[in-house]
Amino acid sequence: MAYDLQLKNVGKVYDNGTPAVIDFNLDVEKGEFIAFLGPSGCGKSTTLRMISGFETVTTGDLLIRGQRVNDQPPEKRPTSMIFQNYALFPHMNVRQNVRFGLEVKGLPKVEADRKVDGILDKLGLLDISEMATSRLSGGQRQRIALARSLVVEPDILLLDEPLGALDANLRKSIQNELKLLQRDLGITFVFVTHAQSEALALSDRIIVMNAGRVEQISPPRELYTRPTTEFVARFIGSNTIIPGTVRTTEGQTITLDTAFGAISGTNRIEVAHSQGEKMSIVLPAEAVELLPAETDEDTLRQSFGANIIPCRIERLQVIGHIMQMLVRLENGETINTEGHVDKYRGRLTVGASAYVAWHSGGATMIA
Ligand code: ADP
């Protein structure tokens, strides 16, 4: 398999001794949309800057299309970077800003003009091409930064929180544009963000980072429903974590002894676990069902086995076709969940007892 980008045991220690990135491994296929997601200071930007060449690699190897680029300066790499503040030249108009990179490369005028017109057209900027960038809106400036990075026809586009400066509505519409553009161009995008909604909406795969290390690499849905570490389970989505010790293992289903009795979930990773070992069950809000306390116990057991926990309903709210529900377990922990109104309306009452239930397949085990 030929990869566009590979990081092999890449590490970064800054001169002051800060280990910013530790043993980072990743293979990226051509045309993938990759997001680095994690809290501030976890090493996302440092990793992106190492890929771009604006930061040196301390250990390990960085490969672009199979070629080691550790010692190549940024302008020699087939990458282009968009910074959070866009770094547009205020004294140049839109066209001059977009053209700049091609001039640096010494492209003949006719060819440069053709490429600039092409990308301005693609991004809907032709009409404003003679305007000063300082007079334009955030969304337009964002598009100019994109045009400027794409006009040099990079193999890999690197984006450092490029939507951070935009308001929520604009973010949403530019997110869609970005995704369509990336599909259209078929080039690899590597995107840094601390906003999970953005990473989940845009990426083919998300790399969750924590304190310089990779926690998990997964497609968005899998990350959401199958976190492999406690950090990811707490950082992404809306999960309830119930600790316990292993009682039995049956294929991929593991049953734990917990404060709520014996309950089970699915072991995503093929690792054997022995009786008595400490593990936790991660229960995504999406996997939880709520049932009224009157529900026949045999029916409950038939559907959910032992995965039934008593709770009290604290809040019910209907938004469109969705009912949002907040319940409290006996240990004080709360679970936010939601479901289609047709399924729940008239069956649940605030203040009443109920059951939280789930199928073992919907819950994930973490060690
Ligand atoms: P993120 O992008 O996830 O917010 P960064 O990559 O910016 O994280 O930073 C990772 C760690 O490296 C942090 O502890 C940060 O303080 C440190 N760091 C970043 N840049 C430098 C630098 N130029 N010199 C020293 N330490 C740095």
Side-chain angles (χ1 to χ4, degrees):
M1 168 65 73
Y3 293 107
D4 242 17
L5 172 68
Q6 288 171 286
L7 284 83
K8 292 180 186 286
N9 309 106
V10 167
K12 174 72 190 179
V13 180
Y14 282 107
D15 290 343
N16 62 6
T18 308
V21 177
I22 303 156
D23 202 23
F24 197 118
N25 286 289
L26 176 68
D27 294 329
V28 180
E29 285 179 30
K30 178 174 163 50
E32 265 196 289
F33 199 129
I34 294 287
F36 295 164
L37 174 66
S40 184
C42 71
K44 307 180 295 289
S45 299
T46 300
T47 309
L48 201 73
R49 290 203 303 269
M50 286 194 282
I51 299 169
S52 69
F54 291 117
E55 197 61 74
T56 56
V57 174
T58 312
T59 50
D61 292 315
L62 194 76
L63 283 77
I64 296 180
R65 301 208 156 171
Q67 195 194 346
R68 187 176 182 275
V69 295
N70 287 42
D71 306 314
Q72 241 178 33
E75 66 277 10
K76 288 265 172 7
R77 300 187 188 189
T79 54
S80 219
M81 179 124 161
I82 299 187
F83 298 93
Q84 183 166 12
N85 59 9
Y86 313 144
L88 299 177
F89 301 114
H91 59 285
M92 292 183 187
N93 69 22
V94 174
R95 179 180 294 277
Q96 289 163 337
N97 261 283
V98 174
R99 211 189 144 88
F100 180 77
L102 297 178
E103 281 170 13
V104 172
K105 287 194 165 190
L107 220 68
K109 183 175 177 328
V110 177
E111 200 183 339
D113 281 340
R114 187 180 54 77
K115 288 192 176 183
V116 170
D117 280 339
I119 200 75
L120 288 176
D121 187 25
K122 193 176 261 306
L123 288 169
L125 293 168
L126 269 181
D127 289 348
I128 57 164
S129 64
E130 305 306 323
M131 286 175 77
T133 55
S134 52
R135 294 180 41 212
L136 300 173
S137 70
Q140 287 168 321
R141 291 163 65 77
Q142 219 283 339
R143 234 169 266 143
I144 298 162
L146 257 174
R148 195 176 58 176
S149 311
L150 291 170
V151 80
V152 296
E153 296 171 355
D155 290 334
I156 302 172
L157 185 66
L158 307 169
L159 307 100
D160 194 354
E161 301 248 6
L163 310 181
L166 306 175
D167 69 50
N169 284 337
L170 199 52
R171 266 178 108 114
K172 197 92 207 130
S173 79
I174 295 210
Q175 263 181 34
N176 292 337
E177 274 186 40
L178 208 56
K179 185 78 200 163
L180 290 173
L181 186 69
Q182 191 259 349
R183 286 217 184 112
D184 181 29
L185 296 170
I187 64 173
T188 304
F189 277 33
V190 183
F191 184 96
V192 160
T193 181
H194 65 269
Q196 59 164 290
S197 62
E198 216 158 87
L200 292 165
L202 286 169
S203 332
D204 297 315
R205 283 190 299 159
I206 298 174
I207 288 87
V208 180
M209 296 182 69
N210 173 28
R213 291 183 193 277
V214 172
E215 283 277 332
Q216 185 169 346
I217 303 180
S218 293
R221 173 139 193 90
E222 195 177 310
L223 196 66
Y224 210 79
T225 55
R226 297 276 179 226
T228 54
T229 69
E230 182 167 346
F231 177 84
V232 175
R234 293 196 188 282
F235 190 68
I236 304 277
S238 174
N239 294 303
T240 303
I241 301 173
I242 302 172
T245 53
V246 175
R247 172 194 276 234
T248 57
T249 307
E250 247 185 83
Q252 276 189 287
T253 305
I254 294 187
T255 302
L256 298 189
D257 283 318
T258 72
F260 301 105
I263 54 177
S264 50
T266 298
N267 194 24
R268 177 178 171 275
I269 312 169
E270 296 290 329
V271 180
H273 293 283
S274 43
Q275 203 180 2
E277 189 181 332
K278 280 201 166 90
M279 290 190 89
S280 295
I281 286 188
V282 180
L283 208 51
E286 288 73 13
V288 169
E289 294 198 35
L290 267 190
L291 298 123
E294 306 77 67
T295 313
D296 173 59
E297 194 156 336
D298 285 345
T299 314
L300 271 179
R301 300 244 167 244
Q302 258 171 25
S303 285
F304 303 101
N307 298 329
I308 306 158
I309 299 180
C311 66
R312 186 167 295 278
I313 299 172
E314 294 221 327
R315 197 174 65 227
L316 299 171
Q317 190 177 15
V318 176
I319 297 176
H321 296 292
I322 300 295
M323 185 180 288
Q324 297 188 333
M325 305 167 285
L326 176 74
V327 301
R328 192 175 291 277
L329 306 183
E330 281 168 347
N331 67 350
E333 190 156 353
T334 55
I335 298 183
N336 268 301
T337 182
E338 57 182 43
H340 200 280
V341 162
D342 293 349
K343 179 169 174 180
Y344 289 110
R345 196 179 343 238
R347 301 184 64 215
L348 305 171
T349 322
V350 173
S353 299
Y355 292 109
V356 162
W358 67 95
H359 299 287
S360 300
T364 307
M365 313 303 302
I366 54 174

